[in-house]
Amino acid sequence: GNAYCGTRTGAPTTTKLMVVYEENHDASSIYGSSSAPNIDRYAADCGSAQNYQALPHPSLPNYMASTSGVSYASPPWTGDCDPGGNCLSGDDNIFDQVGPTGWKGYAESMTSNCQAGSSGTYAARHDPALYYTDVSAQCPTNDVPMGTTSSGALHTDVVDGTLPTFSTVTPNLNNDMHDGTIQQADTWLVGWILQIVGGPDYQSGHLTIIVVWDEGSGSGDVASTVPMIAMSPYIAPGTKSSTSFIHYGLLKAAEDVAGVPELAGAATANSLRTAFGF
């Protein structure tokens, strides 16, 4: 075992799932990279998917697919539009499924709750809850600025053990590998992972963390094999799965943890929970 995974045995008690989104890199550029020693350690010490295919570019369709099970590979979504006007969706989604007290979105460099307009290093297109009309009333309370590892919404919920059933963590454009370097994102991630795995939700075995890249490098209608790392006290260290996964499988895992029905493409997707044992 190690400090991250393999510290618990028996039937998993997972009741919460957190998704940390990263950006625009293929698996081959992350696994084994000297620029990502911490990420590579999480993959080695916990679980990693070797055949996880992102959907076609750009970002927004991938974020929407991972939370609704529906393909958004058409306009206006392929224009990476900020939420509003015709760039809103009435599709059901994991946020609505878990209810108003069951989810949160934590976005770095967001300047106000439920911020619909991109600004600075904050990209609304990387924060999927903003786009669903059925949770618009919950958004001002539940979609919040992340804060830092020493203060703010995510820090408080981690140390208090009050993370919701489903949460998304969206780094800013400098820390998600979109504009910044792999090394910069690796350093950013380790600060948060150390805190989260030390928190009561993770230590009790209730929380699973999924670190996933929205899409690979390149552009156009070409799927990419991207990294995906699963962290839970129940995952056997060094688990590598060659099962074919897509973002619908991430949604399936979140829904199964939450005990809600599997939406759209999630119903037939391969199971991350089966592959990694959380």
Side-chain angles (χ1 to χ4, degrees):
N2 56 71
Y4 306 112
C5 298
T7 58
R8 283 180 170 265
T9 58
T13 59
T14 310
T15 58
K16 303 181 179 186
L17 189 140
M18 171 188 287
V19 181
V20 182
Y21 288 109
E22 295 288 343
E23 280 275 321
N24 296 25
H25 281 73
D26 299 327
S28 59
S29 69
I30 301 299
Y31 293 148
S33 170
S34 60
S35 297
N38 295 298
I39 294 171
D40 206 45
R41 180 181 175 189
Y42 304 146
D45 286 355
C46 295
S48 61
Q50 306 299 305
N51 189 21
Y52 191 113
Q53 298 287 318
L55 301 175
H57 305 279
S59 290
L60 185 55
N62 285 279
Y63 284 86
M64 300 296 282
S66 71
T67 50
S68 70
V70 176
S71 171
Y72 286 81
S74 60
W77 316 101
T78 48
D80 269 347
C81 47
D82 279 357
N86 68 341
C87 198
L88 291 171
S89 173
D91 288 327
D92 202 1
N93 54 84
I94 181 66
F95 306 105
D96 178 61
Q97 286 183 297
V98 297
T101 62
W103 71 272
K104 273 193 175 178
Y106 305 94
E108 188 179 27
S109 299
M110 176 189 272
T111 60
S112 61
N113 289 21
C114 195
Q115 182 181 338
S118 299
S119 64
T121 56
Y122 163 70
R125 65 186 180 274
H126 298 164
D127 187 7
L130 299 171
Y131 291 84
Y132 295 111
T133 57
D134 57 5
V135 294
S136 59
Q138 304 164 24
C139 185
T141 299
N142 293 20
D143 200 70
V144 298
M146 179 188 302
T148 69
T149 52
S150 59
S151 67
L154 182 54
H155 167 80
T156 297
D157 288 347
V158 167
V159 299
D160 289 351
T162 55
L163 289 167
T165 301
F166 178 72
S167 57
T168 60
V169 174
T170 301
N172 69 29
L173 291 171
N174 290 331
N175 291 324
D176 67 1
M177 302 190 190
H178 188 284
D179 293 348
T181 65
I182 294 174
Q183 185 173 24
Q184 182 175 349
D186 185 76
T187 300
W188 179 93
L189 189 63
V190 71
W192 278 110
I193 291 296
L194 285 172
Q195 185 168 125
I196 295 165
V197 300
D201 283 322
Y202 191 88
Q203 289 294 309
S204 65
H206 293 309
L207 177 67
T208 291
I209 307 164
I210 302 292
V211 184
V212 68
W213 278 247
D214 73 319
E215 57 184 327
S217 59
S219 60
D221 296 331
V222 179
S224 305
T225 302
V226 297
M228 192 233 67
I229 298 165
M231 304 181 72
S232 162
Y234 292 98
I235 295 175
T239 299
K240 290 184 178 182
S241 176
S242 59
T243 300
S244 176
F245 295 113
I246 58 175
H247 287 321
Y248 297 159
L250 173 58
L251 175 62
K252 184 188 193 82
E255 290 172 325
D256 291 355
V257 166
V260 297
E262 296 169 353
L263 294 172
T268 55
N270 289 327
S271 171
L272 294 177
R273 295 191 80 189
T274 298
F276 295 102
F278 60 83

